Amino acid sequence: MTVKHKQYLWLDINWEDSWFSSNYLLKNLRRCYQQKLGKDFHSFTLPADETQLTTFIKANQITSVILADPRLNLLGLFKQLEGLEFLIHVIGAPLKKLEDLKQMKLEGQKICLLAGSRANYQILKNSCSAEVKYFPFLPSSPKSSVKIKNVQNKFIYFGRLSHKKNVTALLELFAKYQKDINPQAELTIFGAACNANFPTKPPGHYIGMSADRFFYKLAQLQSLGHKIDYQGALSHDDLQKRLGEFNTFVSLSTAEEEDFGMSVYESLTHNLSCVLSRWGGYREFENFDQVSLVDVIHQDKTLFVDQDQFFSALQKQNQTQVAALSSWEAERQAIIEKLDLNFEDRKLNIKLERSFFSEEFFNEHTELVSPYWG
């Protein structure tokens, strides 16, 4: 579908960080807009001085600006682009994005918010009165996938070793699974230590930061004979070469920025099964036979996973079928093609009464963020 009359501007940044998932998803969002908008799509690369950007906007009669990259300085851009309408992709933590917009005093602006997962879509609808649309993330299919080897009982986690990824809880639950149910099971972990979002309230009474806790528990379990191995951080290319050694990807993440699950998609392209927390963007994969979602329970200001479901899912190890990614991608492509990028003249009004703190994502705003696990 080609949108008529309006001219859309996509703003790029002339540098990349090491966050592969974010960079990859941004490139594919850009590709989707190019296909959808055709000649009405324009792009401009920052940084540039205000005169260059203003001249480009006037020359191309830009009416609407697409802001997707979370590294963009929105406050500065809104000042430069006064009078235009804005389509803002909310990538990552939805309440954090709303808090940022509120701090920048952007309420009252004509803004359309675009969510990459149904969970984020509902959270945004709950948390503000503005135009909110579901624009699903759409990775591009790999040219070829590694065929899984004839392996059993080989589990893998790859990603950040952070508090909200629940890697220490994963160690503890997997060790219990090995001890009580399947002594043949082995877990290998790849990833860099990350202490982001480690809770600081109340202060003190911690063994150490999130990564320290992980390595402390890992050493403890290894000393007891548990087959859990940590092999450090790998480059993306090296990781792709190793995925065929495993049969199941496992993650119990409850991170507020978990709005897609790039690791899940990559695992499915390599014919691995997935055992995941029923959380946020992970739920976008719930219709795959190869994916088992484990319920997340909010109780007494704490999140739990259903242990019995987790152990049962680990036992399945379904590797008899190849995931039907092409039909899944086609369904998401159809949603994007039908999506009307015109939006009503509604002004942004954010309903959050309290400030957002990362470590209190589900405690301070329980009702608003319950779509992540409910």
Side-chain angles (χ1 to χ4, degrees), residues 20-21 42 49 62 67 72 80 105 121 142 156 167 218 238 247 251 267 310 312 316 321 325 350:
F20 169 80
S21 297
H42 309 269
D49 63 46
I62 300 299
L67 302 172
L72 288 167
Q80 290 184 53
K105 303 185 185 306
Y121 170 80
I156 180 175
V167 287
L218 176 66
D238 287 339
N247 62 283
S251 172
S267 295
F310 179 60
S312 177
K316 288 169 63 176
Q321 296 177 317
L325 284 169
I350 299 169

Side-chain angles (χ1 to χ4, degrees), residues 116-146:
S117 70
R118 291 181 175 87
N120 264 9
Y121 170 80
Q122 191 58 55
I123 289 172
L124 292 170
K125 293 283 285 186
N126 291 349
S127 308
C128 71
S129 56
E131 192 80 15
V132 181
K133 297 178 183 289
Y134 174 52
F135 193 120
F137 292 120
L138 184 64
S140 54
S141 298
K143 294 180 180 178
S144 62
S145 60
V146 176

Side-chain angles (χ1 to χ4, degrees), residues 190-210:
F190 299 96
C194 175
N195 287 320
N197 296 333
F198 189 75
T200 55
K201 298 177 183 179
H205 308 295
Y206 300 120
I207 294 173
M209 295 292 278
S210 177

Side-chain angles (χ1 to χ4, degrees), residues 180-200:
D180 296 344
I181 298 176
N182 185 0
Q184 302 303 314
E186 300 179 13
L187 174 63
T188 301
I189 295 175
F190 299 96
C194 175
N195 287 320
N197 296 333
F198 189 75
T200 55

Side-chain angles (χ1 to χ4, degrees), residues 293-313:
L293 298 180
V294 180
D295 286 346
V296 175
I297 303 160
H298 182 270
Q299 182 177 327
D300 299 327
K301 294 188 176 182
T302 305
L303 293 176
F304 302 90
V305 294
D306 188 306
Q307 178 177 290
D308 292 337
Q309 281 187 19
F310 179 60
F311 291 166
S312 177

